[in-house]
Amino acid sequence: MFRRIEDIGSDTVTLWIDKREFQVPAGISVAAAVLLCGFDKVRDTPVSGSPRLPYCMMGICFDCLMCIDGVPNQQACQVEVRHNMTIDYQRGAAELPQQE
Amino acid sequence: MKQHYELLVIGAGPAGLAAATDAARLGVDVALVDEQKFPGGQIYRNVSRARGQLINYLGKDYMRGKQLVVEFLQSAADYIDNASLWYLDDRLEAGLLIDGASRFISCDQMILASGAQERPMPLPGWHKPGVMTAGAGQILLKSAAVVPQGKLVLAGSGPLLLLLAAQYLRAGVAIEAIVDTTPASRLIGALPGLPRALGAIDYLLKGLSYMHAIRKARIPVYKHVDDLRAEGDERLEAVCFSVGRGNAASEMRIAADTLMLHQGVIPNTRLPLAAGCDLAWDQQQQSWKVSRDDWGQSSVDQVMVAGDCGGIVGARAAELQGRLCALQVACKLNKLDQDQRDRAATPISKFLNRHLAIRPFIDALYAPAPAYQLPADDTLVCRCEEISAGEIRAAARLGCVGPNQAKAFTRCGMGPCQGCLCGSTVATLIADETGAAIEDVGYFKVRPPLKPITLGELSSS
């Protein structure tokens, strides 16, 4: 439900969001990228499992928590997209790393 | 980046940029710390990279920030970017999380310029996908040239809502409706502030020009609405509200893909609180502000406060407050004497007063509507822990005297946002339910870590 109105730069990066490949403009935040790619949620809440999308885009609301490059609980609005980044939904509370 | 500076400035918005630039010019050894990669704060976000038509869409007030950024980057001040301030105490030790590692920096003096956040606007469905703040919409525009497509509704009250509408219209973004929650009585209440506001007539003309753009584009505007709700199953499907009163009241339902909410901004007082600064309740702005003198000196000797984080003043006034803070810090550090300080301050104070002249009018006109400060029982107040207004009221009836007790009773404010999105509502609800003054109800205590930090990041310092 979002679109781009101006080419700030012609560079794009490849992202893997929920295991699907997307090309997005370089220099934008992960949250902006996820909205631009048309996703209808970034996570399910730990309390009720209800879906959320980015809300404040400035780092205060923590509604955009996602798993970025395997690290959970990242604020998607505060992280800039990088080439070949993997971005996944966060379902409920983050899981602790498994002990080997 | 050094381990110690004479002055640390926190926040690279207009106040912090001006403070750091001027302090460096006055010979102060200074570093500016910010969470973003590029200076500008939220108001001038991404301004150094803005190009093409985006500059015209955002307008010349936004481009004012470019000059501030250029002057700062040319100064001798250090810029510590991408740094999340996770620790701050009254000894002025700043714990910064940079690139996954924590580092501590100390300083002799600190200027806090952490800006403002939007006032939370709790209403039924505000947590559903499809609902975001007007500020979020503007950040998407500034930082990524990304705009909503599909059916967009803007709702709430305040200058930012009108500015965003004007910017969207310039950028060719379709707006289904503007839903204005400003109560009808506000205009009369604001009139006493009008004579002084005429001294800052450019602000009034700007507001009128936004309204003119909205009228010209024939955007439906619903005024003085009540009972605003975001309805939908999994996500937002419609914006519902009532217009008119008594027998003339009618229910409206507007299909929508995106709803952007706004009801003014409030100071981000978490850093001043962490540094031990005294706060006071500001009745006019319906928010807490930092107790500070005309230089920006807080109750803590080494801590100055500039811009919106001490009380909402707006971007241009914030910049001027930053300059006054820099003068006072330079004087404290014996870089200039009091006469030099006062001579340099005179023209700045004069401009500052001109910019502040608009505040009483705007604050009264756009004072938040009670309905979205005191939401109905089933409305979520704490988005992180999903605590409703009814649960807060029940805790107050059980004897909770303030937000910190309510947190222990209900978990409100205990999630990752640490109360940023519920603190003001929780305090207002408790004050209303118990009949206590909001000054006595108080606010959530602020404790490090101010931002989430992993044990790995902590141990890598």
Coordinates of all heavy atoms in Angstrom, one line a residue, chain A residues 1-9 25-29 31-32 35-36 40-41 43 45-63 65 74-75 77-78 80, chain B residues 35-37 42 45 49 51-54 57 116-117 126-127 129-133 136 139-141 144-149 171-173 234 257 380 383-386 416-417 420-421 451-452:
Chain A
M1 N 0.8 -1.2 0.0 CA 0.0 0.0 0.0 C 0.9 1.3 0.0 O 0.4 2.3 0.4 CB -0.9 0.0 1.2 CG -1.8 -1.2 1.4 SD -3.1 -1.1 0.1 CE -4.1 -2.5 0.7
F2 N 2.1 1.1 -0.4 CA 3.0 2.3 -0.5 C 3.8 2.2 -1.8 O 3.9 1.2 -2.4 CB 4.0 2.2 0.7 CG 3.4 2.6 2.0 CD1 2.8 1.6 2.8 CD2 3.5 3.8 2.5 CE1 2.2 1.9 4.0 CE2 2.9 4.1 3.8 CZ 2.2 3.1 4.5
R3 N 4.2 3.4 -2.2 CA 4.9 3.5 -3.5 C 6.0 4.5 -3.4 O 6.0 5.4 -2.5 CB 4.0 3.8 -4.6 CG 3.4 5.2 -4.5 CD 2.3 5.5 -5.6 NE 1.5 6.7 -5.2 CZ 1.8 7.9 -5.7 NH1 2.8 8.1 -6.6 NH2 1.1 9.0 -5.4
R4 N 6.9 4.5 -4.4 CA 8.0 5.4 -4.4 C 7.7 6.6 -5.4 O 7.1 6.3 -6.5 CB 9.2 4.7 -5.0 CG 10.5 5.3 -4.7 CD 11.2 4.5 -3.6 NE 12.2 5.2 -3.0 CZ 13.4 5.5 -3.6 NH1 13.6 5.0 -4.7 NH2 14.3 6.2 -3.0
I5 N 8.0 7.8 -5.0 CA 7.6 8.9 -5.9 C 8.8 9.6 -6.6 O 8.7 10.4 -7.4 CB 6.8 10.0 -5.1 CG1 7.6 10.4 -3.9 CG2 5.4 9.6 -4.9 CD1 7.1 11.7 -3.3
E6 N 10.0 9.2 -6.2 CA 11.2 9.9 -6.7 C 12.4 9.0 -6.6 O 12.5 8.3 -5.6 CB 11.4 11.2 -5.8 CG 12.5 12.1 -6.2 CD 12.1 13.1 -7.2 OE1 10.9 13.3 -7.5 OE2 13.0 13.8 -7.7
D7 N 13.2 9.0 -7.6 CA 14.4 8.2 -7.5 C 15.5 9.1 -6.8 O 16.0 10.0 -7.4 CB 14.9 7.9 -8.9 CG 14.1 6.7 -9.5 OD1 13.6 5.9 -8.7 OD2 14.0 6.7 -10.7
I8 N 15.7 8.8 -5.5 CA 16.7 9.5 -4.8 C 18.1 9.1 -5.3 O 19.0 9.9 -5.5 CB 16.6 9.2 -3.3 CG1 15.4 9.7 -2.7 CG2 17.8 9.8 -2.5 CD1 15.2 9.5 -1.2
G9 N 18.2 7.9 -5.6 CA 19.5 7.4 -6.3 C 19.1 6.2 -7.1 O 18.0 5.6 -6.9
P25 N 15.4 0.3 -3.2 CA 16.4 1.4 -3.3 C 17.4 1.3 -2.2 O 17.0 1.0 -1.0 CB 15.5 2.7 -3.2 CG 14.1 2.3 -3.4 CD 14.0 0.8 -3.0
A26 N 18.6 1.6 -2.5 CA 19.6 1.6 -1.4 C 19.4 2.8 -0.5 O 18.8 3.8 -0.9 CB 21.0 1.7 -2.1
G27 N 19.8 2.7 0.7 CA 19.8 3.9 1.6 C 18.5 4.1 2.4 O 18.4 4.9 3.2
I28 N 17.5 3.2 2.2 CA 16.3 3.3 2.9 C 16.3 2.4 4.1 O 17.2 1.5 4.2 CB 15.0 3.1 2.1 CG1 14.9 1.6 1.6 CG2 15.0 4.0 0.9 CD1 13.6 1.3 0.9
S29 N 15.4 2.5 5.1 CA 15.4 1.6 6.2 C 14.7 0.3 5.9 O 13.9 0.2 4.9 CB 14.7 2.3 7.4 OG 13.3 2.5 7.1
A31 N 12.3 -1.0 7.6 CA 10.9 -0.8 7.7 C 10.3 -0.2 6.5 O 9.2 -0.6 6.0 CB 10.6 0.1 8.9
A32 N 10.9 0.8 5.9 CA 10.4 1.5 4.7 C 10.4 0.4 3.5 O 9.5 0.4 2.8 CB 11.3 2.6 4.3
L35 N 7.4 -2.0 4.0 CA 6.2 -1.3 3.6 C 6.1 -1.2 2.1 O 5.1 -1.5 1.4 CB 6.1 0.0 4.2 CG 5.9 0.1 5.7 CD1 6.0 1.5 6.3 CD2 4.5 -0.5 6.1
L36 N 7.2 -0.8 1.5 CA 7.3 -0.6 0.0 C 7.0 -2.0 -0.7 O 6.4 -2.0 -1.8 CB 8.7 -0.1 -0.4 CG 8.9 0.5 -1.8 CD1 7.9 1.6 -2.0 CD2 10.3 1.1 -1.9
D40 N 2.0 -7.1 4.9 CA 0.9 -6.6 5.7 C 1.2 -6.8 7.2 O 0.3 -6.4 8.0 CB -0.4 -7.3 5.3 CG -0.3 -8.9 5.4 OD1 0.8 -9.3 5.8 OD2 -1.2 -9.6 4.9
K41 N 2.4 -7.3 7.5 CA 2.8 -7.3 8.9 C 4.3 -7.5 9.0 O 4.9 -8.0 8.1 CB 2.0 -8.4 9.7 CG 2.4 -9.8 9.3 CD 1.7 -10.8 10.2 CE 2.1 -12.2 9.8 NZ 1.4 -13.2 10.7
R43 N 5.4 -8.5 12.3 CA 5.6 -9.4 13.4 C 4.2 -9.7 14.0 O 3.2 -9.0 13.6 CB 6.4 -8.8 14.5 CG 5.8 -7.6 15.2 CD 6.6 -7.1 16.4 NE 5.9 -5.9 17.0 CZ 5.6 -5.9 18.3 NH1 5.8 -6.9 19.1 NH2 5.0 -4.9 18.8
T45 N 2.5 -10.1 17.8 CA 2.9 -9.7 19.2 C 3.1 -10.9 20.1 O 2.4 -11.9 19.9 CB 1.9 -8.7 19.8 OG1 0.6 -9.4 19.9 CG2 1.7 -7.5 18.9
P46 N 3.9 -10.8 21.1 CA 4.1 -11.9 22.1 C 2.9 -12.1 22.9 O 2.6 -13.2 23.4 CB 5.3 -11.5 23.0 CG 5.9 -10.3 22.3 CD 4.8 -9.7 21.4
V47 N 2.1 -11.1 23.2 CA 1.0 -11.2 24.2 C -0.2 -11.9 23.5 O -0.7 -12.9 24.0 CB 0.6 -9.8 24.8 CG1 -0.6 -9.9 25.7 CG2 1.8 -9.2 25.5
S48 N -0.7 -11.3 22.4 CA -2.0 -11.8 21.8 C -1.8 -12.4 20.4 O -2.7 -12.9 19.8 CB -3.0 -10.7 21.7 OG -2.6 -9.7 20.7
G49 N -0.6 -12.3 19.9 CA -0.3 -12.8 18.6 C -0.9 -12.0 17.5 O -1.0 -12.5 16.3
S50 N -1.3 -10.7 17.8 CA -1.9 -9.9 16.7 C -0.8 -9.3 15.8 O 0.3 -9.0 16.3 CB -2.8 -8.8 17.4 OG -2.0 -7.9 18.1
P51 N -1.2 -9.0 14.6 CA -0.2 -8.5 13.6 C 0.1 -7.0 13.8 O -0.8 -6.3 14.2 CB -0.8 -8.8 12.3 CG -2.3 -8.7 12.5 CD -2.5 -9.3 13.9
R52 N 1.3 -6.6 13.5 CA 1.7 -5.2 13.6 C 2.5 -4.8 12.4 O 3.2 -5.6 11.8 CB 2.5 -4.9 14.8 CG 1.8 -5.1 16.2 CD 0.9 -4.0 16.5 NE 0.0 -4.3 17.6 CZ 0.3 -4.0 18.9 NH1 1.5 -3.5 19.2 NH2 -0.5 -4.4 19.9
L53 N 2.4 -3.5 12.0 CA 3.3 -2.9 11.0 C 4.0 -1.7 11.7 O 3.6 -1.3 12.8 CB 2.4 -2.3 9.9 CG 2.1 -3.3 8.7 CD1 1.2 -2.6 7.7 CD2 3.3 -3.9 8.0
P54 N 5.1 -1.2 11.1 CA 5.7 0.0 11.7 C 4.7 1.1 12.0 O 3.8 1.3 11.2 CB 6.7 0.4 10.5 CG 7.0 -0.9 9.8 CD 5.7 -1.6 9.8
Y55 N 4.9 1.7 13.1 CA 4.0 2.7 13.6 C 4.6 4.1 13.6 O 4.0 5.1 13.1 CB 3.4 2.3 14.9 CG 2.4 3.3 15.5 CD1 1.1 3.3 14.9 CD2 2.7 4.1 16.6 CE1 0.2 4.2 15.4 CE2 1.7 5.0 17.0 CZ 0.5 5.1 16.5 OH -0.5 5.9 17.0
C56 N 5.8 4.3 14.3 CA 6.3 5.7 14.4 C 7.5 6.0 13.5 O 7.7 7.1 13.2 CB 6.7 5.9 15.9 SG 8.4 5.2 16.3
M57 N 8.1 5.0 13.0 CA 9.3 5.1 12.0 C 10.4 5.9 12.6 O 11.3 6.4 11.9 CB 8.8 5.8 10.7 CG 7.9 4.9 9.8 SD 8.7 3.4 9.3 CE 10.0 4.0 8.2
M58 N 10.4 6.2 13.9 CA 11.5 7.0 14.5 C 12.2 6.4 15.7 O 12.9 7.0 16.5 CB 11.1 8.4 14.8 CG 9.9 8.6 15.7 SD 9.5 10.3 16.0 CE 10.6 10.7 17.3
G59 N 11.9 5.1 15.9 CA 12.7 4.4 16.9 C 12.1 4.4 18.3 O 12.8 3.9 19.2
I60 N 10.9 4.9 18.5 CA 10.4 4.9 19.9 C 9.3 3.8 20.2 O 9.2 3.4 21.3 CB 9.9 6.3 20.3 CG1 8.7 6.7 19.4 CG2 11.0 7.3 20.3 CD1 7.9 7.8 20.1
C61 N 8.6 3.4 19.1 CA 7.4 2.5 19.5 C 7.7 1.0 19.5 O 7.0 0.3 20.1 CB 6.3 2.8 18.5 SG 6.5 2.0 16.9
F62 N 8.8 0.6 18.9 CA 9.2 -0.8 18.9 C 8.2 -1.8 18.3 O 8.2 -2.9 18.5 CB 9.6 -1.3 20.3 CG 10.9 -0.7 20.8 CD1 11.0 0.6 21.2 CD2 12.1 -1.4 20.7 CE1 12.2 1.2 21.6 CE2 13.3 -0.9 21.2 CZ 13.3 0.4 21.6
D63 N 7.3 -1.2 17.4 CA 6.3 -2.1 16.8 C 6.9 -2.7 15.5 O 6.3 -3.7 15.0 CB 5.1 -1.3 16.4 CG 3.9 -1.6 17.4 OD1 3.9 -2.8 17.9 OD2 3.1 -0.8 17.6
L65 N 9.7 -4.5 15.3 CA 10.7 -5.5 15.6 C 10.7 -6.6 14.6 O 9.7 -7.2 14.3 CB 10.5 -6.0 17.0 CG 10.8 -5.0 18.1 CD1 10.5 -5.7 19.5 CD2 12.2 -4.4 18.1
Q74 N 15.3 -6.7 16.2 CA 15.9 -5.5 15.6 C 14.8 -4.5 15.2 O 13.8 -4.8 14.6 CB 16.7 -5.9 14.3 CG 17.8 -6.9 14.5 CD 18.8 -6.4 15.5 OE1 19.5 -5.4 15.2 NE2 19.0 -7.0 16.6
Q75 N 15.1 -3.2 15.5 CA 14.1 -2.1 15.1 C 14.3 -1.9 13.6 O 15.3 -1.2 13.2 CB 14.4 -0.9 15.9 CG 13.9 -0.9 17.4 CD 14.2 0.4 18.1 OE1 15.3 0.7 18.4 NE2 13.2 1.2 18.2
C77 N 13.0 0.1 11.6 CA 13.1 1.5 11.2 C 14.4 2.2 11.4 O 14.7 3.2 10.9 CB 12.0 2.4 11.8 SG 12.3 2.7 13.6
Q78 N 15.3 1.5 12.2 CA 16.6 2.1 12.6 C 17.7 1.4 11.8 O 18.9 1.7 12.0 CB 16.8 1.9 14.1 CG 15.8 2.6 15.0 CD 15.8 4.1 14.8 OE1 15.1 4.7 14.0 NE2 16.7 4.8 15.5
E80 N 19.5 0.3 8.2 CA 19.5 0.6 6.7 C 19.6 -0.7 6.0 O 20.3 -1.7 6.4 CB 20.6 1.5 6.4 CG 20.6 2.1 5.0 CD 21.7 3.1 4.8 OE1 21.9 4.0 5.6 OE2 22.4 2.9 3.8
Chain B
E35 N 21.6 9.0 16.9 CA 21.2 7.7 16.5 C 21.2 7.4 15.0 O 21.3 6.3 14.5 CB 19.8 7.4 17.1 CG 19.4 6.0 17.4 CD 18.2 5.9 18.3 OE1 17.4 6.8 18.3 OE2 18.1 4.8 18.9
Q36 N 21.0 8.5 14.2 CA 20.9 8.4 12.8 C 22.3 8.4 12.1 O 23.2 8.9 12.7 CB 20.1 9.5 12.2 CG 18.7 9.7 12.8 CD 17.8 8.6 12.4 OE1 17.9 8.0 11.4 NE2 16.9 8.2 13.4
K37 N 22.3 8.0 10.9 CA 23.5 8.1 10.1 C 23.8 9.5 9.7 O 25.0 10.0 9.7 CB 23.4 7.2 8.9 CG 24.6 7.0 8.0 CD 24.4 5.8 7.1 CE 25.4 5.8 6.0 NZ 25.0 4.7 5.0
Q42 N 14.6 14.5 13.4 CA 13.4 14.1 12.7 C 12.9 15.2 11.7 O 12.5 15.0 10.6 CB 12.3 13.7 13.6 CG 12.7 12.6 14.6 CD 13.1 11.3 13.8 OE1 12.8 11.1 12.7 NE2 14.0 10.5 14.5
R45 N 15.2 15.4 8.8 CA 15.7 14.1 8.5 C 16.1 14.0 7.0 O 15.4 14.3 6.1 CB 14.6 13.1 8.8 CG 15.0 11.7 8.5 CD 14.7 10.9 9.7 NE 14.9 9.5 9.4 CZ 14.5 8.5 10.2 NH1 14.0 8.7 11.3 NH2 14.8 7.2 9.8
R49 N 20.7 14.7 1.9 CA 20.6 13.9 0.7 C 19.4 14.2 -0.1 O 19.1 13.5 -1.1 CB 20.6 12.4 1.1 CG 21.9 11.9 1.7 CD 22.0 10.4 1.7 NE 21.0 9.8 2.5 CZ 20.8 8.5 2.6 NH1 21.5 7.7 1.9 NH2 19.8 8.0 3.3
R51 N 17.0 15.5 -2.8 CA 17.2 16.0 -4.2 C 16.0 15.9 -5.0 O 15.0 15.4 -4.6 CB 18.4 15.3 -4.8 CG 18.1 13.8 -5.0 CD 19.3 13.1 -5.6 NE 20.3 12.8 -4.6 CZ 21.3 12.0 -4.8 NH1 21.5 11.4 -5.9 NH2 22.2 11.7 -3.9
G52 N 16.1 16.5 -6.2 CA 15.0 16.4 -7.2 C 13.7 17.1 -6.7 O 13.8 18.1 -5.9
Q53 N 12.6 16.6 -7.1 CA 11.3 17.1 -6.8 C 11.0 17.0 -5.3 O 10.2 17.8 -4.8 CB 10.2 16.3 -7.6 CG 10.1 16.8 -9.0 CD 9.7 18.3 -9.1 OE1 8.8 18.7 -8.4 NE2 10.4 19.0 -9.9
L54 N 11.6 16.1 -4.6 CA 11.4 15.9 -3.2 C 11.6 17.2 -2.4 O 10.9 17.5 -1.5 CB 12.3 14.8 -2.6 CG 11.9 14.2 -1.3 CD1 10.5 13.6 -1.4 CD2 12.9 13.1 -1.0
Y57 N 8.5 19.2 -2.8 CA 7.4 18.7 -2.1 C 7.5 19.0 -0.6 O 6.5 19.4 0.1 CB 7.3 17.1 -2.2 CG 7.2 16.6 -3.6 CD1 7.7 15.3 -3.9 CD2 6.6 17.4 -4.6 CE1 7.6 14.8 -5.2 CE2 6.5 16.9 -5.9 CZ 7.0 15.6 -6.2 OH 6.9 15.1 -7.5
A116 N 11.5 15.8 20.3 CA 10.1 15.5 20.7 C 9.7 14.1 20.1 O 10.3 13.6 19.3 CB 9.2 16.6 20.2
Q117 N 8.5 13.7 20.6 CA 7.9 12.6 20.0 C 6.4 12.9 19.8 O 5.9 13.9 20.4 CB 8.0 11.3 20.8 CG 7.2 11.4 22.2 CD 7.0 10.1 22.9 OE1 7.9 9.6 23.5 NE2 5.8 9.6 22.7
W126 N -6.0 1.5 17.0 CA -4.8 2.2 16.6 C -3.6 1.4 16.5 O -2.6 1.8 16.0 CB -4.5 3.4 17.6 CG -4.1 3.1 19.0 CD1 -4.7 2.2 19.8 CD2 -3.0 3.6 19.7 NE1 -4.0 2.2 21.0 CE2 -2.9 3.1 21.0 CE3 -2.0 4.6 19.4 CZ2 -2.0 3.4 22.0 CZ3 -1.0 4.9 20.4 CH2 -1.0 4.3 21.6
H127 N -3.7 0.1 16.9 CA -2.6 -0.8 16.9 C -2.6 -1.7 15.6 O -1.7 -2.4 15.3 CB -2.5 -1.7 18.1 CG -3.8 -2.4 18.3 ND1 -4.9 -1.8 18.8 CD2 -4.2 -3.7 18.1 CE1 -6.0 -2.6 18.9 NE2 -5.6 -3.8 18.4
P129 N -2.4 -3.0 11.8 CA -1.7 -2.7 10.6 C -2.5 -1.8 9.7 O -3.7 -2.0 9.5 CB -1.5 -4.1 9.9 CG -1.5 -5.1 11.0 CD -2.5 -4.5 12.0
G130 N -1.9 -0.8 9.1 CA -2.6 0.2 8.3 C -2.7 1.5 9.0 O -3.0 2.6 8.4
V131 N -2.5 1.5 10.4 CA -2.6 2.8 11.1 C -1.1 3.1 11.5 O -0.4 2.3 12.0 CB -3.4 2.6 12.4 CG1 -3.5 4.0 13.2 CG2 -4.8 2.1 12.1
M132 N -0.7 4.3 11.3 CA 0.6 4.8 11.7 C 0.5 6.3 12.0 O -0.6 6.9 11.9 CB 1.6 4.6 10.6 CG 1.3 5.2 9.3 SD 2.8 5.2 8.2 CE 3.5 3.6 8.4
T133 N 1.5 6.9 12.5 CA 1.5 8.3 12.9 C 1.7 9.2 11.6 O 2.3 8.7 10.7 CB 2.5 8.7 14.0 OG1 3.8 8.6 13.4 CG2 2.4 7.8 15.2
A136 N 5.3 9.4 11.1 CA 5.9 8.3 10.4 C 5.7 8.4 8.9 O 6.6 8.2 8.1 CB 5.2 7.0 10.9
I139 N 8.3 10.9 7.8 CA 9.6 10.3 7.8 C 9.8 9.4 6.5 O 10.9 9.4 5.9 CB 9.9 9.5 9.1 CG1 10.1 10.5 10.2 CG2 11.1 8.6 9.0 CD1 10.0 9.9 11.6
L140 N 8.8 8.7 6.2 CA 8.8 7.8 5.0 C 9.1 8.7 3.7 O 9.8 8.4 2.8 CB 7.6 7.0 4.8 CG 7.4 5.7 5.6 CD1 6.0 5.2 5.6 CD2 8.4 4.7 5.1
L141 N 8.4 9.9 3.7 CA 8.6 10.8 2.6 C 10.0 11.4 2.6 O 10.7 11.4 1.5 CB 7.5 11.9 2.7 CG 7.5 13.0 1.6 CD1 7.3 12.4 0.3 CD2 6.5 14.1 2.0
A144 N 12.8 8.2 2.4 CA 12.8 7.1 1.4 C 12.0 7.5 0.2 O 11.8 6.7 -0.7 CB 12.2 5.8 2.0
A145 N 11.4 8.7 0.2 CA 10.5 9.1 -0.9 C 9.4 8.1 -1.1 O 9.0 7.8 -2.2 CB 11.3 9.4 -2.2
V146 N 8.9 7.6 0.0 CA 7.9 6.6 0.0 C 6.6 7.2 0.5 O 6.6 7.9 1.5 CB 8.3 5.3 0.8 CG1 7.1 4.4 1.1 CG2 9.3 4.5 0.1
V147 N 5.5 7.0 -0.2 CA 4.2 7.6 0.1 C 3.1 6.5 0.1 O 3.3 5.5 -0.6 CB 3.8 8.7 -0.8 CG1 4.8 9.9 -0.7 CG2 3.6 8.2 -2.2
P148 N 2.0 6.7 0.8 CA 0.9 5.7 0.8 C 0.3 5.7 -0.6 O 0.2 6.7 -1.3 CB -0.1 6.2 1.8 CG 0.5 7.4 2.4 CD 1.7 7.8 1.7
Q149 N -0.2 4.5 -1.0 CA -1.1 4.5 -2.2 C -2.3 3.7 -1.8 O -2.3 2.9 -0.8 CB -0.4 3.8 -3.4 CG -0.1 2.4 -3.3 CD 0.5 1.8 -4.6 OE1 0.4 2.5 -5.6 NE2 1.1 0.7 -4.5
A171 N 3.0 16.4 -3.7 CA 3.6 15.2 -4.3 C 2.7 14.3 -5.1 O 3.0 13.2 -5.5 CB 4.3 14.4 -3.2
G172 N 1.4 14.8 -5.2 CA 0.4 14.0 -6.0 C -0.2 12.8 -5.3 O -0.7 11.9 -5.9
V173 N -0.1 12.8 -3.9 CA -0.7 11.7 -3.2 C -2.2 12.0 -2.9 O -2.5 13.1 -2.5 CB 0.0 11.6 -1.8 CG1 -0.6 10.5 -1.0 CG2 1.5 11.3 -2.1
E234 N -8.3 -8.1 10.6 CA -6.8 -8.2 10.9 C -6.1 -6.9 10.7 O -5.2 -6.6 11.4 CB -6.2 -9.3 10.0 CG -6.5 -10.7 10.4 CD -5.5 -11.1 11.5 OE1 -4.4 -11.5 11.2 OE2 -6.0 -11.1 12.7
D257 N -7.2 2.3 3.5 CA -6.1 1.4 3.5 C -5.0 1.9 4.5 O -4.3 1.1 5.2 CB -5.4 1.3 2.2 CG -6.4 0.8 1.1 OD1 -6.9 -0.3 1.3 OD2 -6.6 1.5 0.1
L380 N -6.8 -0.2 23.8 CA -5.4 -0.4 24.2 C -4.7 0.9 24.6 O -4.8 1.8 23.8 CB -4.6 -1.1 23.1 CG -4.6 -2.6 22.9 CD1 -3.5 -3.1 22.0 CD2 -4.6 -3.3 24.3
R383 N 0.7 -0.4 24.0 CA 0.8 -1.3 22.8 C 1.7 -2.5 23.0 O 1.4 -3.5 22.4 CB 1.2 -0.4 21.6 CG 0.3 0.7 21.3 CD 1.0 1.7 20.3 NE 1.3 1.0 19.1 CZ 0.6 1.1 17.9 NH1 -0.5 1.9 17.9 NH2 1.0 0.5 16.8
C384 N 2.7 -2.3 23.8 CA 3.7 -3.4 23.9 C 3.1 -4.6 24.7 O 3.1 -5.7 24.3 CB 5.0 -3.0 24.6 SG 5.9 -1.7 23.8
E385 N 2.6 -4.3 25.9 CA 2.0 -5.3 26.7 C 0.5 -5.5 26.6 O -0.1 -6.3 27.3 CB 2.4 -5.0 28.2 CG 3.9 -5.0 28.5 CD 4.5 -6.4 28.5 OE1 3.8 -7.4 28.6 OE2 5.8 -6.5 28.3
E386 N 0.0 -4.8 25.7 CA -1.5 -4.8 25.3 C -2.4 -4.7 26.6 O -3.2 -5.6 26.9 CB -1.7 -6.1 24.5 CG -0.9 -6.1 23.3 CD -1.2 -7.3 22.4 OE1 -2.3 -7.6 22.1 OE2 -0.2 -7.9 21.9
P416 N 9.2 -3.2 25.4 CA 10.4 -2.6 24.8 C 10.4 -1.1 24.6 O 11.4 -0.5 24.7 CB 10.6 -3.3 23.4 CG 9.3 -4.0 23.2 CD 8.6 -4.2 24.5
C417 N 9.2 -0.5 24.4 CA 9.2 1.0 24.2 C 9.4 1.7 25.6 O 9.5 2.9 25.6 CB 8.0 1.5 23.5 SG 6.6 2.0 24.4
C420 N 7.2 4.9 26.3 CA 7.1 6.0 25.4 C 5.7 6.2 24.8 O 5.3 7.3 24.6 CB 8.1 5.9 24.3 SG 9.8 6.2 24.8
L421 N 5.1 5.1 24.5 CA 3.8 5.2 23.8 C 2.6 5.1 24.8 O 1.4 5.2 24.3 CB 3.7 4.0 22.8 CG 4.2 4.3 21.4 CD1 3.2 5.2 20.6 CD2 5.5 5.0 21.3
K451 N 17.9 1.8 25.9 CA 17.6 1.1 24.6 C 18.0 -0.3 24.9 O 18.9 -0.6 25.6 CB 18.4 1.7 23.5 CG 17.9 3.0 22.9 CD 16.9 2.7 21.9 CE 16.3 4.0 21.2 NZ 15.5 3.7 20.0
P452 N 17.2 -1.3 24.3 CA 17.6 -2.7 24.5 C 19.0 -2.9 24.0 O 19.5 -2.4 23.0 CB 16.6 -3.4 23.6 CG 15.5 -2.5 23.3 CD 16.1 -1.1 23.4

